[in-house]
Amino acid sequence: MPGGKRTLTGRVVSNKMDKTIIVEVETSKRHPLYRRTIRIRKRYKAHDENNSCSEGDVVSIVEHRPISKDKRWLVREVVGHLEPQDIAENEIDTGVDAEVVTVVVQENEIDTGAAVAEVEEVEEEAVAEEDDDDGDDADDEVADGDDEDDEGEDDDEDDDKDKKR
């Protein structure tokens, strides 16, 4: 738009600052290589003079001269309001019913006391195995020393055979 100011519509995600809101604008774009539609979310800081916007409001913002380091948009108007359950239904599609999830969680309740006891038993077994492994390592070293002596004897026998030839 040459000469005009850009206008965007988005949802207020934060209004914790004084006279400033953060608006999340979602656009769709097709990926150039894979041809899949990608949702792009971008956040803008906008000036709200009267602090009239609250989280979840759908607002229209318009481009403006820089007001601060990051703030270059003004709130034009509040278009509507999305309730938290509307946001969950519209934006998050998990494909699983919430009722089914709660039933499964209730059926699969875990006895935490038994789970803790099992973890402690496993840890004790691991410590016992480590202690056993330490003793085995010393035995292995002694056995390795014996093997070296045997190898030396084999070398002597090979030397004797060479001398006889």
Side-chain angles (χ1 to χ4, degrees):
M1 281 189 235
K5 294 185 178 184
R6 293 189 301 165
T7 302
L8 300 173
T9 303
R11 184 172 49 93
V12 177
V13 292
S14 175
N15 65 344
K16 293 183 173 92
M17 295 173 273
D18 186 34
K19 297 187 178 185
T20 303
I21 60 172
I22 298 178
V23 179
E24 188 174 67
V25 177
E26 186 173 298
T27 57
S28 296
K29 176 183 168 188
R30 193 167 284 280
H31 191 280
L33 178 61
Y34 300 116
R35 296 293 185 213
R36 180 175 177 157
T37 303
I38 302 170
R39 287 190 304 180
I40 298 171
R41 293 183 181 138
K42 189 153 183 189
R43 296 163 66 113
Y44 298 95
K45 288 184 182 173
H47 185 70
D48 180 19
E49 183 64 36
N50 302 323
N51 286 327
S52 59
C53 297
S54 60
E55 287 186 31
D57 284 348
V58 178
V59 296
S60 175
I61 56 176
V62 64
E63 203 171 24
H64 189 265
R65 66 176 173 80
I67 299 167
S68 68
K69 177 185 170 190
D70 298 325
K71 197 162 50 166
R72 280 133 176 80
W73 297 85
L74 283 177
V75 175
R76 178 192 282 173
E77 64 178 330
V78 177
V79 176
H81 183 76
L82 286 177
E83 296 297 326
Q85 65 268 11
D86 294 338
I87 294 169
E89 291 172 5
N90 291 341
E91 294 184 5
I92 303 171
D93 182 22
T94 58
V96 179
D97 291 335
E99 297 170 2
V100 173
V101 172
T102 55
V103 170
V104 170
V105 169
Q106 289 173 353
E107 290 177 0
N108 294 332
E109 288 184 2
I110 299 172
D111 181 16
T112 56
V116 170
E118 289 177 18
V119 169
E120 289 174 354
E121 289 175 11
V122 170
E123 288 176 352
E124 290 173 4
E125 291 174 4
V127 169
E129 288 177 7
E130 287 177 6
D131 292 339
D132 291 342
D133 289 343
D134 292 341
D136 291 341
D137 290 343
D139 294 338
D140 291 341
E141 290 174 9
V142 171
D144 289 342
D146 293 340
D147 291 341
E148 290 175 6
D149 292 338
D150 292 339
E151 290 173 6
E153 291 172 5
D154 291 339
D155 291 338
D156 293 338
E157 292 172 8
D158 292 336
D159 291 338
D160 293 337
K161 289 179 185 175
D162 290 336
K163 289 179 184 177
K164 291 178 183 177
R165 291 186 191 160

